[in-house]
Amino acid sequence: MPPADWTGLPALRYDTRPETVAGLDEFVRGEVAAGRCAVPRGVRSLRIDLALLVAAAKVVRVVPRAIDCATVEQFAAGFMTRIARDRLDPTSPDGWYRATLDAAWRD
């Protein structure tokens, strides 16, 4: 498991910066609209923090911070794994890193 305090985790380092992968905003909007997320009325964005365990320049584990929306947490974990695949800085030491995904939408 990652440390309890994520503030000291270094940011995930990329060898080549990933392009944005489509689908996150739409998925989150749909989950909020369906009432599966505890998002206050009128909020149109979510920040999803993740801790990633890296070994040999590969993501081996992703732990999303709980945001009271399990489907979005799990989607974000898979989404980040896909973004990071084959793009991590090979000189990064093994260990825990942090990353953030932001989702924003309109009704």
Side-chain angles (χ1 to χ4, degrees):
M1 290 301 292
D5 180 7
W6 292 10
T7 58
L9 295 179
L12 191 63
R13 296 180 359 196
Y14 298 98
D15 185 33
T16 54
R17 190 79 182 143
E19 295 180 25
T20 302
V21 180
L24 178 65
D25 295 341
E26 294 82 14
F27 180 80
V28 174
R29 181 188 56 74
E31 293 302 291
V32 170
R36 289 187 278 271
C37 300
V39 176
R41 192 177 218 28
V43 170
R44 303 283 183 271
S45 65
L46 276 179
R47 173 161 279 189
I48 306 131
D49 294 318
L50 305 123
L52 300 97
L53 181 59
V54 173
K58 302 283 183 204
V59 173
V60 294
R61 184 158 188 204
V62 180
V63 177
R65 186 178 304 277
I67 57 171
D68 204 14
C69 189
T71 55
V72 169
E73 294 163 20
Q74 291 307 306
F75 185 86
F79 193 85
M80 181 52 74
T81 300
R82 188 170 66 233
I83 288 173
R85 187 172 293 136
D86 300 323
R87 291 187 176 96
L88 297 184
D89 181 347
T91 65
S92 295
D94 293 354
W96 286 99
Y97 291 83
R98 64 178 163 75
T100 301
L101 293 173
D102 292 308
W105 62 93
R106 297 181 193 171
D107 283 340

